[in-house]
């Protein structure tokens, strides 16, 4: 028989796209209990967290009072704002409260060595841990590590995200990633690379887990041009403008590419070249034996909906709470699973 420990107390930090999915994942979770919620937006302060997450009211009120949230004595904060606030992170960790987050740049020195040291020191003072996950970067890397255990020799590990992103409908993000520029615009590759810090971090985390020293990380990209003018509703693209790109972020060891994060991102499918998409993730381990793992949503499901990103962090909470102090990565934790989820009931989505 499986005995169940008392539920771990969790404070959710913000209710945006990912945070909303985390609240829905926490309410009714057999091993976790949502006890409080931080709101960044003033208009969310004072509102019921269930209502903010699009489910029935749950009697927990969102607040921006950090002392009150820490006084709830949570075991963990599920930290999912749009941007990090290092003062908040330091305060949470040094008070002895662990953090799981979908901000993968926090896994290493993505925000600079000073920030990394500051967070590690706060963990040490509070005897607390911080774990970063998500889907990509995140659980796709952990899945690759699980698959790697079947090999006698590994030549290269590559992770591919391959999607038509138009359903994401985020013009600001797409334009920041070069969509809409001319394919020969010299700024285009740099714009994508500037947004790839978390994937570089994922390569370093995998390198650490597989015991290779990543000497250098290289970036290459190629572009696809729209075949005609198209109005996507959330943005317009003209014929000839960048409508998709294919990129490789390569971790180099011994002069060769050993760990690669690849992506094919397209806005629609009417472009040249018109690369096929996998609508999900493909992990390939070249070696003996070569191994391929595909992570794809079943019909009707959608990985971009925020749930998988949030739950890869939330479901790690039991392991993170008992982890040694410090910033812990995939290789430092027992494999994160959907333990207990076979017995749960999800809250009803309203509206
Ligand atoms: N690893 C992965 O697979 C993956 C995938 C997707 C996202 N992410 C990461 O997860 C985090 C959350 O993403 P998201 O798409 O859920 O974000 P989001 O919906 O855009 O924003 C999340 C929340 O951040 C707060 N916020 C808004 N503006 C802010 C600002 N200027 N500074 C700080 N906080 C602000 C708001 O909190 P209130 O709700 O309280 O107002 C907002 O709802 C991001 O860091 C993102 O990069 C990771």
């Amino acid at each position: 028989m499986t005995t169940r420990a008392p539920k771990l107390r969790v404070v959710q930090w913000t209710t945006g796209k990912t945070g909303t999915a985390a609240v829905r994942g926490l309410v009714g979770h057999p091993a976790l209990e949502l006890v409080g919620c931080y709101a960044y937006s003033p208009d969310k302060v004072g509102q019921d967290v269930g209502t903010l997450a699009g489910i029935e009211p749950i009697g927990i009120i969102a607040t921006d009072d950090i002392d009150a949230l820490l006084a709830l004595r949570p075991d963990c904060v599920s930290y999912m704002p749009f941007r990090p606030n290092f003062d908040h992170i330091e305060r949470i960790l040094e008070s002895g409260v662990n953090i799981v987050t979908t901000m993968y740049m926090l896994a290493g020195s993505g925000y600079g060595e000073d920030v990394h040291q500051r967070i590690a020191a706060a963990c040490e003072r509070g005897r607390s841990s911080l774990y970063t996950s998500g889907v990509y970067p995140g659980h796709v890397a952990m899945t690759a590590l699980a698959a790697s255990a079947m090999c006698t020799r590994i030549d290269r590990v590559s992770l591919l995200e391959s999607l038509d992103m138009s359903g994401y409908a985020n013009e600001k993000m797409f334009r920041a990633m070069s969509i809409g520029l001319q394919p020969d615009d010299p700024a285009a590759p740099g714009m994508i690379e500037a947004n790839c810090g978390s994937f570089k971090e994922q390569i370093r985390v995998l390198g650490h887990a597989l015991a290779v020293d990543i000497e250098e990380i290289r970036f290459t990209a190629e572009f696809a041009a729209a075949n005609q003018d198209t109005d996507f509703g959330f943005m317009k693209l003209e014929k000839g403008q960048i409508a998709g790109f294919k990129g490789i972020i390569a971790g180099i060891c011994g002069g060769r590419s050993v760990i690669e994060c690849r992506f094919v991102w397209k806005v629609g499918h009417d472009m040249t070249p018109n690369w096929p998409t996998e609508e999900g993730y493909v992990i390939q381990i070249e070696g003996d034996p070569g191994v391929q793992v595909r992570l794809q949503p079943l019909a009707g499901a959608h990985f971009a909906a925020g749930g998988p990103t949030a739950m890869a962090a939330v479901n790690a909470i039991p392991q993170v709470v008992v982890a040694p102090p410090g910033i812990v990565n995939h290789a430092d934790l027992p494999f994160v699973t959907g333990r207990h989820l076979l017995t749960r009931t999800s809250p009803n989505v309203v509206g």
Side-chain angles (χ1 to χ4, degrees):
M1 198 180 111
T2 306
T3 50
R4 197 166 285 169
K7 287 189 178 190
L8 296 168
R9 297 166 64 77
V10 181
V11 164
Q12 177 61 34
W13 219 264
T14 72
T15 50
K17 193 169 173 191
T18 313
T20 288
V23 169
R24 293 180 186 184
L26 283 162
V27 173
H29 194 294
L32 307 170
E33 182 184 3
L34 182 66
V35 295
C37 180
Y38 174 83
Y40 170 87
S41 307
D43 61 332
K44 290 191 176 180
V45 171
Q47 291 207 49
D48 188 283
V49 178
T51 307
L52 291 175
I55 56 176
E56 301 287 349
I58 55 174
I60 294 171
I61 303 302
T63 178
D64 58 2
D65 183 341
I66 296 176
D67 286 334
L69 288 168
L70 295 178
L72 293 168
R73 308 193 69 78
D75 296 288
C76 195
V77 162
S78 166
Y79 188 81
M80 297 168 185
F82 172 62
R83 288 208 186 100
N85 179 317
F86 302 120
D87 292 337
H88 289 179
I89 292 172
E90 186 173 41
R91 208 163 143 193
I92 295 164
L93 291 169
E94 73 185 359
S95 76
V97 177
N98 303 284
I99 292 180
V100 296
T101 177
T102 50
M103 275 176 195
Y104 208 86
M105 299 259 281
L106 291 169
S109 308
Y111 292 109
E113 192 51 37
D114 287 358
V115 169
H116 183 64
Q117 293 304 331
R118 189 177 160 193
I119 292 174
C123 288
E124 204 50 54
R125 287 197 297 281
R127 310 300 294 161
S128 54
S129 312
L130 178 144
Y131 173 69
T132 64
S133 193
V135 174
Y136 190 74
H139 207 69
V140 172
M142 193 174 235
T143 308
L145 290 175
S148 73
M150 294 188 288
C151 297
T152 51
R153 191 194 74 247
I154 298 174
D155 301 326
R156 178 170 23 242
V157 176
S158 70
L159 318 179
L160 166 70
E161 179 176 62
S162 172
L163 300 167
D164 169 9
M165 295 297 289
S166 51
Y168 205 67
N170 188 333
E171 176 169 14
K172 199 168 145 206
M173 182 184 81
F174 292 162
R175 293 207 183 276
M177 299 281 275
S178 83
I179 299 293
L181 297 182
Q182 293 301 311
D184 59 356
D185 190 318
M191 287 171 75
I192 302 175
E193 187 175 8
N195 285 293
C196 283
S198 59
F199 299 106
K200 292 182 176 178
E201 219 51 68
Q202 183 168 247
I203 286 176
R204 292 192 189 96
V205 166
L206 279 170
H208 166 70
L210 295 170
V212 288
D213 288 326
I214 299 297
E215 297 147 5
E216 185 193 346
I217 296 183
R218 295 181 192 152
F219 175 82
T220 51
E222 46 186 301
F223 298 92
N227 289 336
Q228 57 182 323
D229 295 0
T230 306
D231 185 348
F232 288 92
F234 64 90
M235 76 183 289
K236 291 179 182 170
L237 284 180
E238 291 172 18
K239 181 178 177 180
Q241 292 181 334
I242 294 175
F245 52 80
K246 194 174 181 179
I248 301 177
I249 307 162
I252 309 296
C253 177
R256 68 186 182 87
S257 169
V258 292
I259 300 173
E260 294 183 352
C261 290
R262 298 166 172 247
F263 43 90
V264 174
W265 267 31
K266 293 165 65 177
V267 182
H269 288 286
D270 192 6
M271 62 191 72
T272 304
N274 190 14
W275 305 296
T277 53
E278 306 287 345
E279 296 311 321
Y281 302 87
V282 181
I283 296 160
Q284 285 191 336
I285 302 178
E286 295 166 44
D288 178 18
V291 179
Q292 178 167 285
V293 183
R294 303 174 84 86
L295 291 173
Q296 287 167 318
L298 290 178
H302 207 293
F303 282 172
T309 298
M311 295 317 290
V314 166
N315 283 322
I317 290 173
Q319 281 101 317
V320 174
V321 164
V322 295
I327 299 172
V328 290
N329 288 316
H330 308 313
D332 306 318
L333 294 183
F335 196 62
V336 174
T337 67
R339 186 170 159 81
H340 299 309
L341 299 184
L342 284 168
T343 57
R344 83 164 288 196
T345 312
S346 295
N348 290 327
V349 174
V350 293

